[in-house]
């Protein structure tokens, strides 16, 4: 299967494609890459993009998007070598999908808001052959994001709390069930109840229009900064953090907030 996107070599996209072709032919490292050797590197690039997005670092986002684009072209290049598909197939399929999934733009369907767009999107996926609205949630997705996406997709077909209060009540219910499991020493149930609590908390965040993964990552960074500040302060006092009493650590923790 021959690739056809070779025209206009002065355009940055085609210049990049031509550079990749040359590297694939001449560079010892590029020559031996496969889908499977690239896969972990792609995940690394996505996490680097995630860090840049959270930091709202536009130059870094620009750079990381370029790295991911290179990976996309590389996967398509390998596929073309094996007569499977080309980057042109990737682009054509994407264009067709976007047009078919937006009948309110490219057809006669009327929508009132974003929620109806999401509902139509999931219904169209089912018509295309998907057996479940949850089929598109990757098994390998991090658990917090996976729970959030599962809930979003279920909500898109109407399976949702009418408002955030219902989800908040569910959190209180799950907390009570955890306490029951602890009191009755039902350790086999405790893990399941904690999982239910986390799922309910993620659902509550979603209904408050808060991305739980973003919120948790910001809290992680905040805790890390404060904890490392505590470590520095304790060393300046001639002690390691471990040598401080809990009350002394709590005092430093409160100071770290300022």
């Amino acid at each position: 299967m021959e690739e056809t996107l070779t025209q206009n070599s002065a355009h940055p996209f085609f210049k990049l494609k031509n550079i990749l072709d040359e590297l694939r032919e001449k560079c010892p490292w590029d020559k031996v890459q496969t889908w499977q050797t690239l896969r972990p590197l792609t995940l690394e690039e996505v996490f680097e993009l995630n860090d840049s997005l959270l930091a709202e670092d536009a130059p870094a986002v620009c750079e990381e998007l370029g790295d991911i684009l290179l990976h996309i072209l590389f996967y398509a290049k390998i596929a073309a070598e094996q007569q499977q598909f080309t980057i042109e197939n990737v682009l054509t399929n994407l264009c067709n999908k976007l047009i078919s999934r937006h009948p309110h733009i490219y057809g006669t369907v009327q929508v009132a808001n974003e929620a109806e767009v999401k509902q139509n999107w999931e219904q169209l996926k089912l018509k295309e052959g998907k057996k479940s609205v949850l089929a598109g949630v990757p098994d390998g997705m991090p658990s917090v994001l996976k729970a959030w996406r599962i809930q979003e997709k279920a909500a898109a077909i109407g399976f949702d709390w009418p408002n955030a209060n219902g989800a908040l009540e569910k959190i209180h219910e799950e907390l009570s069930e955890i306490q029951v499991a602890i009191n009755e020493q039902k350790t086999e149930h405790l893990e399941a109840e904690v999982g239910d609590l986390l799922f309910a908390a993620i659902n509550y965040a979603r209904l408050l229009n808060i991305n739980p993964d973003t919120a948790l990552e910001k809290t992680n960074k905040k805790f890390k900064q404060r904890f490392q500040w505590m470590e520095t302060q304790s060393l300046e006092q001639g002690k390691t953090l471990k040598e401080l009493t809990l009350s002394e650590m709590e005092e430093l923790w409160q100071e770290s907030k300022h």
Side-chain angles (χ1 to χ4, degrees):
M1 182 178 294
E2 295 295 329
E3 295 193 67
T4 58
L5 294 179
T6 56
Q7 67 274 25
N8 193 7
S9 60
H11 190 284
F13 179 84
F14 297 104
K15 182 177 180 180
L16 172 61
K17 181 179 174 297
N18 292 335
I19 290 173
L20 179 57
D21 290 344
E22 188 170 18
L23 293 177
R24 183 67 168 170
E25 179 184 352
K26 299 178 181 180
C27 175
W29 185 87
D30 290 272
K31 281 182 179 180
V32 299
Q33 297 311 305
T34 67
W35 281 0
Q36 296 310 317
T37 61
L38 288 174
R39 186 185 62 81
L41 302 178
T42 306
L43 291 174
E44 181 179 337
E45 296 296 350
V46 171
F47 283 120
E48 289 178 359
L49 173 62
N50 181 63
D51 288 345
S52 300
L53 290 167
L54 286 172
E56 296 190 0
D57 185 341
V61 170
C62 182
E63 180 178 352
E64 299 304 337
L65 287 174
D67 291 342
I68 291 174
L69 176 58
L70 173 61
H71 280 237
I72 293 170
L73 286 170
F74 211 151
Y75 286 117
K77 172 67 177 174
I78 294 170
E81 293 169 352
Q82 299 173 359
Q83 303 291 306
Q84 294 173 324
F85 60 83
T86 69
I87 188 62
E88 185 177 59
N89 297 137
V90 173
L91 298 174
T92 299
N93 289 345
L94 177 58
C95 289
N96 290 339
K97 179 190 292 186
L98 289 174
I99 291 171
S100 67
R101 296 274 181 89
H102 292 80
H104 54 288
I105 302 297
Y106 301 103
T108 58
V109 173
Q110 300 293 318
V111 293
N113 49 44
E114 177 193 4
E116 289 188 8
V117 173
K118 290 182 177 180
Q119 291 172 4
N120 287 343
W121 184 279
E122 297 301 337
Q123 292 298 326
L124 287 166
K125 288 173 68 175
L126 290 175
K127 290 180 181 178
E128 292 168 1
K130 300 288 185 182
K131 295 182 179 180
S132 168
V133 295
L134 304 182
V137 181
D139 291 336
M141 181 180 283
S143 298
V144 172
L145 278 175
K146 186 191 296 185
W148 179 52
R149 289 296 290 142
I150 286 172
Q151 293 165 2
E152 275 199 328
K153 287 180 174 292
I157 62 165
F159 188 69
D160 199 9
W161 297 103
N163 54 58
N165 289 335
L168 181 59
E169 290 173 7
K170 186 66 176 176
I171 290 175
H172 293 305
E173 177 187 326
E174 298 300 345
L175 281 168
S176 298
E177 292 178 2
I178 286 174
Q179 191 59 59
V180 170
I182 292 172
N183 293 341
E184 297 180 355
Q185 297 185 339
K186 292 183 177 180
T187 55
E188 70 276 11
H189 294 159
L190 189 56
E191 181 182 54
E193 297 299 347
V194 170
D196 290 346
L197 173 63
L198 293 172
F199 194 84
I202 291 168
N203 213 7
Y204 185 51
R206 179 184 60 82
L207 288 164
L208 294 177
N209 294 318
I210 294 172
N211 183 314
D213 184 73
T214 301
L216 181 58
E217 183 56 25
K218 288 181 178 179
T219 296
N220 287 340
K221 288 182 180 294
K222 179 172 62 179
F223 182 93
K224 181 179 178 181
Q225 290 169 352
R226 290 177 178 176
F227 192 86
Q228 290 177 333
W229 183 88
M230 290 169 58
E231 290 176 316
T232 300
Q233 293 301 307
S234 64
L235 287 174
E236 289 180 359
Q237 298 173 16
K239 295 181 180 180
T240 65
L241 199 58
K242 188 176 181 180
E243 293 173 312
L244 300 182
T245 65
L246 183 58
S247 61
E248 289 173 328
M249 284 192 281
E250 176 61 23
E251 184 177 346
L252 278 179
W253 177 259
Q254 293 303 323
E255 290 179 19
S256 74
K257 296 181 179 179
H258 304 291

